[in-house]
């Protein structure tokens, strides 16, 4: 039996390349077994993590990869959620069909919002998106749309049961449904970023002038990224509406937008896996803070946030990468020492 | 061997996991059913587990004092031996005034902690979000801290009961008083254009009944408006001699000041939502607010007539001993105390049968319960088809310093 660490050092590059798919397979296996090992409530919590992860992935495409800061992504989450809720409540559309609809609405909305917003850079764009985030809850209460949105009272939805007579509880079914959506959207994002578009997006972040000099259509790509980003977040919003069975203007306060931003920074900017770590953070850490102190949960949350950013400046994803690197280096060193001893 | 991995391994793993999962899940489902249909959670336990969600953080965190006071209240009860020998385990957690968070926290309380009831969750949106869930689970959503009229629907939602005197009820009291004192009044109404405002207007019209035509002018404003100056001017222009002011604190202060400044001197009713001397009447100008009427059902801690009142003394002693960080001038602390006392009464009535079903049954059989912090003559009465706690209120008039209750207890006709 060769210890895994020394295998690393001697393994040819081909085998090393296999490590990622194998680890992914193990993670998937665990993800599939998980809902049967924990209670329905915990399944629901993990489902929320998955939903956050999809939203964070969307924001990360925009902010992490393309370098445009958005403080208003909660608004796209709201749009997606309300699209799904209105379709289900008013038109009795099947829940799974509302996802593409929510995605499409947000893609268009994001693209259209992206067009004028492009003229704004950095902090100005952040302010423009902030305005969107702040106004969204009030727009939803506006009297002429109230008939559709249900005003302050919101819309209550019914949780879907597992189809085809699968022996799953509604929570478990929803978990698998969200997991499938997440895998699909992560695969699409990965593919998107690997290709020509991905390189263009990053180039725009790094050197916008150089990017346009080599022929990249900067405004087009920026708007496109905005649209795609909004689409992801909107689909997450729709999933959230289905999982929570309720939407109301107060569900999408500006704090949601900010906590999404916290999620991508803590999870790791420009990192696909960072979305998952960030989602775990924004799902569980505020609660942890509340458990520590009822008087000042905000202060504790802030401290934990600062600590995490201080200890892992490139996010949890970056931090883990660094740890793995350190570990591998140490293993390599010790294995070379071993070999020397044997020689 | 390694060649197999990447593309085969993932689907294989998925498939295996799914098969394994499905074969296990039948058992899981049965467990779930047993948990749902079996003996009620915590019934035989030596403690009474109560859950609550509160906005300790977020935009409505000022209301967090309700949860803090009630935590202190049950701590004191436990120190004194509990309720019929059973300790109260009061779990109050933060929902940040966010409906999705409220759903999550309530699910935790019900499914993980196994609470017997959810007590005083705060806010109309959060309560709406958990309404269906709790009724499906048959866990009492008891004494919601919200004035919407949704919580009095025992036929469709038998597991939900509100606490606040609701908006429609309050409006009916004003209607009754108008009809009693000035049957030929010309009424102008200013209201916020949302469910809250519309609830009041409906109550007012229902209360006036055939005389609803007495309302000669209505004006609305949006929460996002800067001022209500033009609305007040319009209402004055209608020639009305009675002004029903259904506004939230900022707009209430504006309307009171504006009406006075443009020389409109109607008889004014101000909704209880904005009856705070500190945050509404002082900025409006105490002289301009003198003579305003509102309703009250509990004793105002700032009202000097209750200084030596036993109910007020009991409350003040509790505040200083058990909850010293609480504000003695904040009426919310009075409200929270009365709600906790009412829950105590329900639990005591339950005897040894402390189950969700019996808790709901006892909550719906409160008879002439009158904690000493309520205004004299006001009692709490409920029944299987009547989930409204407060159907009586007293009018109070602002004398330039404080609200002074006057007149008889008024009962709103249903």
């Amino acid at each position: 039996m060769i210890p895994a660490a020394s295998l690393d050092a001697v393994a040819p590059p081909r085998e090393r390349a296999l490590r990622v798919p194998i680890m992914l397979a193990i993670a998937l296996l665990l993800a599939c077994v998980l809902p049967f090992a924990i209670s329905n409530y915990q399944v629901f919590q993990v489902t929320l993590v998955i939903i956050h992860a999809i939203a964070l992935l969307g924001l990360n495409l925009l902010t992490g990869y393309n370098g445009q800061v958005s403080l208003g992504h909660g608004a796209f989450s709201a749009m997606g959620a309300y699209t799904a809720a209105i379709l289900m409540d008013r038109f009795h559309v099947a829940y799974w069909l509302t996802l593409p609809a929510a995605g499409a609405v947000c893609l268009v909305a994001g693209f259209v919002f992206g067009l004028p917003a492009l003229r704004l850079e950095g902090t100005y764009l952040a302010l423009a998106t902030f305005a969107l985030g702040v106004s969204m809850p009030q727009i939803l209460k506006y009297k002429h749309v109230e008939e559709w949105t249900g005003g302050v009272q919101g819309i209550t939805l019914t949780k879907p049961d597992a189809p085809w007579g699968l022996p799953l509880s509604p929570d478990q079914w929803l978990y698998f449904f969200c997991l499938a959506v997440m895998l699909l959207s992560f695969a699409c994002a990965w593919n998107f970023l690997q290709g020509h578009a991905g390189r263009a997006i990053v180039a725009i972040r790094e050197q916008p002038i150089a990017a346009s000099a080599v022929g990249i259509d900067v405004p087009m790509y920026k708007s496109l990224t905005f649209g795609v980003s909004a689409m992801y977040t909107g689909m997450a919003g729709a999933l959230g509406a289905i999982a929570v069975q309720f939407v109301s203007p107060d569900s999408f306060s500006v704090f949601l937008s900010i906590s999404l931003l916290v999620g991508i920074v803590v999870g790791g900017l420009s990192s696909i896996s960072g979305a998952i770590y960030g989602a775990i953070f924004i799902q569980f850490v505020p609660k942890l803070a509340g458990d520590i102190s009822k008087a000042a949960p905000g202060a504790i949350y802030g401290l934990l946030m600062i600590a995490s950013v201080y200890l892992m400046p490139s996010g949890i994803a970056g931090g883990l990468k660094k740890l793995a690197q350190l570990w591998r280096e140490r293993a390599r060193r010790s294995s070379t020492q071993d070999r020397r001893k044997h020689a | 061997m390694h060649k197999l991995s990447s593309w085969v391994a993932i689907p294989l793993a998925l498939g295996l996991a799914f098969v394994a999962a499905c074969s296990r899940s039948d058992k899981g489902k049965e467990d779930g059913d047993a948990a749902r249909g079996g003996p009620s959670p915590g019934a035989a336990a030596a403690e009474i587990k109560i859950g609550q969600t509160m906005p300790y953080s977020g935009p409505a965190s000022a209301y967090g004092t309700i949860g803090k006071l009630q935590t202190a209240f049950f701590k004191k009860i436990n120190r004194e031996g509990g309720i019929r020998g059973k300790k109260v385990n009061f779990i109050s957690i933060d929902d940040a005034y966010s409906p999705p968070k409220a759903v999550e926290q309530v699910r935790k309380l019900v499914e993980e902690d196994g609470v017997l009831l959810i007590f005083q969750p705060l806010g109309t949106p959060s309560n709406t979000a958990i309404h269906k869930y709790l009724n499906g689970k048959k866990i009492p959503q008891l004494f919601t801290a919200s004035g919407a009229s949704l919580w009095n629907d025992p036929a469709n939602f038998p597991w939900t009961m509100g606490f606040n005197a609701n908006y429609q009820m309050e409006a009916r009291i004003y209607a009754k008083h108008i009809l009693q004192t000035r049957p030929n009044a010309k009424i102008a109404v200013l209201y916020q254009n949302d469910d809250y405002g519309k609830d009041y207007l409906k109550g007012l019209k229902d209360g006036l009944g055939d005389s609803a035509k007495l309302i000669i002018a209505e004006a609305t404003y949006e929460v996002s408006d800067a001022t209500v100056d033009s609305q007040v001017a319009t209402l004055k222009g209608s020639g009305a001699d009675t002004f029903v002011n259904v506004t939230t604190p900022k707009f209430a202060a504006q309307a009171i000041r504006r009406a006075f400044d443009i020389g409109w001197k109607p008889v004014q009713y101000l909704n209880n939502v904005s009856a705070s001397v500190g945050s509404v009447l002082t900025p409006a100008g105490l002289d301009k607010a003198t003579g305003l009427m509102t309703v009250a059902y509990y004793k105002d801690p700032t009202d000097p007539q209750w200084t030596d009142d036993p109910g007020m003394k009991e409350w003040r002693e509790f505040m200083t001993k058990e909850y010293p960080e609480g504000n003695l001038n904040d009426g919310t602390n009075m409200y929270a105390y009365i709600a906790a006392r009412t829950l105590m009464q329900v639990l005591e009535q339950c005897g040894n049968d402390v189950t969700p079903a019996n808790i709901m049954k006892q909550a719906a059989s409160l008879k002439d319960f009158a904690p000493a912090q309520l205004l004299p003559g006001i009692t709490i009465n409920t029944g299987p088809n009547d989930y409204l706690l407060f159907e009586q209120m007293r009018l109070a008039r602002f004398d330039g310093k404080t609200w002074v209750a006057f007149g008889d207890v008024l009962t709103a006709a249903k």
Side-chain angles (χ1 to χ4, degrees), chain A residues 226-247:
Chain A
F226 218 109
V228 171
S229 163
M231 178 184 79
Y232 275 97
T233 307
M235 280 174 37
L239 284 175
I242 298 167
V244 174
Q245 299 167 263
F246 180 68
V247 291

Side-chain angles (χ1 to χ4, degrees), chain A residues 133-332:
Chain A
V134 170
S135 53
M136 188 48 81
Q138 295 184 356
I139 293 171
L140 292 168
K141 291 179 200 168
Y142 186 56
K143 59 184 161 189
H144 295 297
V145 297
E146 206 177 61
E147 193 191 328
W148 299 94
T149 61
V152 198
Q153 227 102 89
I155 304 171
T156 310
L157 302 168
T158 315
K159 193 170 264 189
D161 281 320
W164 315 304
L166 286 176
L168 297 171
S169 71
D171 285 312
Q172 289 168 334
W173 165 246
L174 209 59
Y175 168 86
F176 282 113
F177 181 69
C178 292
L179 185 67
V181 174
M182 182 182 95
L183 290 176
L184 190 70
S185 45
F186 272 58
C188 289
W190 186 76
N191 208 26
F192 179 71
L193 289 167
Q194 289 297 306
H196 174 73
R199 281 195 302 277
I201 287 168
V202 175
I204 291 169
R205 179 191 70 193
E206 292 299 325
Q207 282 295 338
I209 298 171
S212 68
V214 296
I216 294 172
D217 186 349
V218 175
M220 182 62 200
Y221 271 108
K222 276 184 152 182
S223 286
L224 183 72
T225 315
F226 218 109
V228 171
S229 163
M231 178 184 79
Y232 275 97
T233 307
M235 280 174 37
L239 284 175
I242 298 167
V244 174
Q245 299 167 263
F246 180 68
V247 291
S248 78
D250 293 290
S251 310
F252 304 97
S253 64
V254 74
F255 194 73
L256 173 67
S257 304
I258 293 168
S259 72
L260 288 177
L261 197 69
V262 168
I264 60 165
V265 175
V266 170
L269 285 165
S270 319
S271 152
I272 291 186
S273 64
I276 298 176
Y277 305 128
I280 294 173
F281 186 90
I282 58 176
Q283 171 69 25
F284 294 109
V285 174
K287 209 160 300 157
L288 184 73
D291 288 344
I292 295 173
S293 162
K294 217 173 268 177
I300 304 279
Y301 182 50
L303 274 179
L304 290 171
M305 208 153 61
I306 291 170
S308 111
V309 172
Y310 182 73
L311 293 172
M312 293 174 283
S314 47
I316 299 173
L320 287 178
K321 213 177 201 173
K322 212 180 238 171
L323 270 182
Q325 247 167 23
L326 278 177
W327 185 61
R328 232 173 281 154
E329 256 166 48
R330 252 183 59 186
R332 196 170 306 154

Side-chain angles (χ1 to χ4, degrees), chain B residues 284-356:
Chain B
L286 294 178
D287 52 326
K288 298 173 185 175
T290 305
L292 249 63
M293 283 178 278
T294 189
V295 292
Y297 53 102
Y298 53 82
K299 294 169 184 165
D300 182 347
T302 62
D303 185 343
Q305 71 169 302
W306 308 120
T307 309
D308 295 317
D309 176 79
M312 189 59 75
K313 274 186 174 159
E314 173 196 322
W315 175 78
R316 213 175 288 126
E317 191 189 315
F318 169 83
M319 288 296 286
T320 43
K321 270 198 194 147
E322 312 289 336
Y323 184 44
E325 66 272 33
N327 182 352
L328 280 166
N329 290 324
D330 187 353
T332 312
N333 286 327
M334 183 59 85
Y335 166 93
Y337 186 80
I338 297 168
R341 292 254 341 235
T342 313
L343 179 62
M344 271 286 290
Q345 174 69 21
V346 170
L347 293 174
E348 267 165 10
Q349 280 186 27
C350 281
N352 290 322
D353 180 20
V354 190
T355 56

Side-chain angles (χ1 to χ4, degrees), chain A residues 36 39 146 167 171 283 287, chain B residues 21 25 104 107 112 195 198:
Chain A
F36 304 99
S39 72
E146 206 177 61
D171 285 312
Q283 171 69 25
K287 209 160 300 157
Chain B
S25 71
E104 196 190 328
R107 283 196 62 170
E112 303 282 286
D195 301 54
K198 286 173 196 163

Side-chain angles (χ1 to χ4, degrees), chain B residues 112-357:
Chain B
E112 303 282 286
D113 298 328
V115 297
L116 286 166
L117 75 154
I118 301 289
F119 172 59
Q120 280 231 303
L122 189 132
T124 306
S126 294
N127 272 297
T128 316
I130 58 177
H131 201 193
K132 211 165 156 185
Y133 170 77
L134 286 173
N135 276 272
K137 282 273 177 194
K138 300 191 189 327
I139 294 289
Q141 178 181 10
L142 201 57
F143 303 149
T144 59
S146 150
S149 49
L150 291 161
W151 322 122
N152 179 26
D153 186 6
N156 296 312
F157 292 99
W159 297 88
T160 304
M161 189 184 284
F163 188 79
N164 299 28
N166 78 35
Y167 301 147
Q168 290 194 21
M169 199 53 81
E170 184 185 334
R172 274 182 226 165
I173 299 272
Y174 297 135
K176 192 168 186 175
H177 189 249
I178 292 171
L179 289 178
Q180 277 178 1
T181 53
R182 292 175 311 114
N184 296 316
K186 285 180 272 179
I187 307 168
V189 189
L190 173 65
Y191 66 97
Q192 184 163 308
N193 190 22
D194 63 7
D195 301 54
Y196 139 72
K198 286 173 196 163
D199 247 15
Y200 264 105
L201 188 68
K202 184 175 183 299
L204 192 66
K205 284 184 174 164
D206 289 355
L208 289 170
D210 296 337
S211 309
K213 58 181 183 303
L214 292 180
I215 302 177
I216 60 162
E218 288 175 22
T220 66
Y221 69 94
E222 299 292 330
V223 189
S224 47
D225 287 352
T227 72
V228 289
D229 288 357
S230 66
Q231 285 91 330
V232 173
T234 312
L235 294 177
K236 184 196 176 207
S238 72
D241 60 8
T242 307
F243 177 30
V244 180
N245 191 349
V246 183
T247 54
T248 45
K250 174 186 139 191
F251 298 106
Q254 287 178 355
I256 294 163
R257 196 175 45 220
R258 187 70 187 166
F260 186 90
D261 290 349
I262 60 176
W264 187 30
K265 301 262 162 23
V267 175
Q268 291 195 49
Y269 297 87
L270 174 66
N271 66 172
N272 189 261
V273 170
S274 295
S276 162
V277 176
S279 63
V280 178
L281 304 187
T282 310
L286 294 178
D287 52 326
K288 298 173 185 175
T290 305
L292 249 63
M293 283 178 278
T294 189
V295 292
Y297 53 102
Y298 53 82
K299 294 169 184 165
D300 182 347
T302 62
D303 185 343
Q305 71 169 302
W306 308 120
T307 309
D308 295 317
D309 176 79
M312 189 59 75
K313 274 186 174 159
E314 173 196 322
W315 175 78
R316 213 175 288 126
E317 191 189 315
F318 169 83
M319 288 296 286
T320 43
K321 270 198 194 147
E322 312 289 336
Y323 184 44
E325 66 272 33
N327 182 352
L328 280 166
N329 290 324
D330 187 353
T332 312
N333 286 327
M334 183 59 85
Y335 166 93
Y337 186 80
I338 297 168
R341 292 254 341 235
T342 313
L343 179 62
M344 271 286 290
Q345 174 69 21
V346 170
L347 293 174
E348 267 165 10
Q349 280 186 27
C350 281
N352 290 322
D353 180 20
V354 190
T355 56

